[in-house]
Amino acid sequence: MLEKILELRSQSKSIAQIAAECGLTIGQVKYQLQKERAKPTETSAQKPTPNESLHRQEREWRLPTFYGRDLVKVMAQGPTVLFVYWEITWPRMRMVASYLQADYRHIQKGLRIYDVTDRIFSGQNAHSIQDVHVQEDAQSWYVRDVNPGRTYLVDFGLYDHGRFCPILRSEPVETPRNTKATWGEPLIEPAPEGNSPSWFENFSSYSLYMKSNK
């Protein structure tokens, strides 16, 4: 019946004429037409292509770019490459910039990589230290030319007049060796626990929240 109603409607016939030819009331004809208009239509232009469907699924399952918390993570990408990613919230960045009396948008950001192999790291006893400057808007960085079979810690921080001011420290990570292990020898040794970085002298991360007794 609906097909006949639509056919007659395409002939520019009135609802009354359609009702008369189909043996229906005017209300029944209007109901059928309204129900047809309410159906979702998907034209070929609106229909997503396979690539668009794949991108849509990727967007739905993609991990969030930001988590709203301060963190620095480091992963070994190979015997000589580390991948570091971080998130520093604006409240913490502004707090540090206020202490440095500088615009946080223009302070040089960077990473400090410590070789702490077989060390209980005190902040001063690393085998070696490597500094890497990163771009202003970067949220991750590849650190190359590290040594295989070594344990590393990474600090994210700011450079103030050439001096590195650490903000957050990663957990230790060990790069894989580039030689074959002997029988029964572990491929990766457990990394020692690292200490949290201390702020340079006379600065406390709680200073903004302390109330004066005066």
Side-chain angles (χ1 to χ4, degrees), residues 17 24 44 51 57 132 152 177 195 212:
Q17 291 173 330
L24 301 172
S44 58
N51 285 338
Q57 292 175 2
V132 178
Y152 290 95
R177 68 181 72 203
N195 297 321
S212 174

Side-chain angles (χ1 to χ4, degrees), residues 152-213:
Y152 290 95
L153 286 172
V154 178
D155 280 353
F156 175 88
L158 307 176
Y159 290 91
D160 178 45
H161 300 291
R163 184 180 185 183
F164 182 71
C165 309
I167 297 178
L168 287 176
R169 175 165 295 165
S170 74
E171 294 293 327
V173 65
E174 184 166 340
T175 54
R177 68 181 72 203
N178 58 357
T179 57
K180 294 182 179 180
T182 60
W183 177 257
E185 184 181 5
L187 294 176
I188 297 179
E189 296 290 342
E193 294 184 0
N195 297 321
S196 299
S198 58
W199 285 92
F200 45 96
E201 59 268 17
N202 302 324
F203 181 78
S204 169
S205 58
Y206 298 98
S207 59
L208 294 182
Y209 304 97
M210 295 176 65
K211 294 182 179 179
S212 174
N213 295 326

Side-chain angles (χ1 to χ4, degrees), residues 110-123:
L111 306 172
R112 175 161 287 183
I113 297 91
Y114 303 92
D115 181 343
V116 295
T117 307
D118 300 326
R119 295 283 173 87
I120 299 177
F121 187 48
S122 66

Side-chain angles (χ1 to χ4, degrees), residues 66 86 90 105 107 109 134-141:
F66 301 104
W86 60 87
W90 286 123
R105 294 171 298 179
I107 303 176
K109 283 80 174 174
V134 302
Q135 296 176 359
E136 165 64 30
D137 57 349
Q139 298 294 328
S140 61
W141 206 260

Side-chain angles (χ1 to χ4, degrees), residues 93-109 158-161:
M93 189 69 79
R94 284 195 295 266
M95 180 178 64
V96 178
S98 176
Y99 175 78
L100 297 176
Q101 297 183 352
D103 188 336
Y104 61 86
R105 294 171 298 179
H106 305 303
I107 303 176
Q108 176 64 57
K109 283 80 174 174
L158 307 176
Y159 290 91
D160 178 45
H161 300 291

